[in-house]
Amino acid sequence: MQKEVDNYISQFKEGYFTPLAMLARMTEELGELSREINHYYGEKPKKNTEKENTVEEELGDMLFVMICFANSLNIDLQEAHDRVMHKFETRDKNRWTRIRKEEEK
């Protein structure tokens, strides 16, 4: 995904936004995601005049901006993911109640 986004952004002279502008874009997208979550799962129904968006679409927008952010800072998201999963599997391995599998009962 990072390569695909980089190929897309590389078409344009402007390239990636600065880290501060990227953070502002991410904040904007998070607000849009929050609004959709509130409409679908919260107490605030959508107005008749509001455009129909989906949580999936807003998550996709967040993912795109996050990938742009990582690319602009030369961060390999697979490596970042691997590190955080290692942390969860070691430091936090007993933090949550595990679901026991049927054969373990």
Side-chain angles (χ1 to χ4, degrees):
M1 287 191 287
Q2 283 188 262
K3 183 65 176 156
E4 183 179 8
V5 169
D6 193 57
N7 288 341
Y8 175 75
I9 296 295
S10 295
Q11 303 176 81
F12 308 106
K13 289 180 183 179
E14 293 82 3
Y16 291 106
F17 296 153
T18 63
L20 190 56
M22 201 74 70
L23 184 59
R25 284 202 60 213
M26 191 179 299
T27 303
E28 177 185 352
E29 294 298 344
L30 180 59
E32 292 174 12
L33 174 61
S34 298
R35 186 172 186 83
E36 288 306 308
I37 292 291
N38 198 21
H39 288 319
Y40 284 99
Y41 304 104
E43 289 73 40
K44 185 178 179 185
K46 191 177 283 270
K47 297 175 189 173
N48 293 338
T49 57
E50 289 183 280
K51 178 184 168 209
E52 188 66 32
N53 289 339
T54 64
V55 172
E56 179 181 9
E57 181 180 349
E58 297 304 337
L59 280 171
D61 289 347
M62 282 286 303
L63 181 59
F64 179 80
V65 173
M66 190 172 300
I67 292 170
C68 286
F69 204 171
N71 285 354
S72 74
L73 298 172
N74 295 315
I75 293 171
D76 183 319
L77 286 174
Q78 184 64 58
E79 289 178 13
H81 169 77
D82 292 346
R83 278 194 303 277
V84 77
M85 289 307 298
H86 176 73
K87 177 178 65 177
F88 288 135
E89 291 166 353
T90 55
R91 184 192 75 187
D92 295 339
K93 70 180 179 181
N94 296 316
R95 188 174 201 171
W96 310 108
T97 306
R98 294 200 182 265
I99 299 171
R100 293 177 49 144
K101 296 190 186 228
E102 203 58 41
E103 64 269 6
E104 294 175 349
K105 290 183 179 178

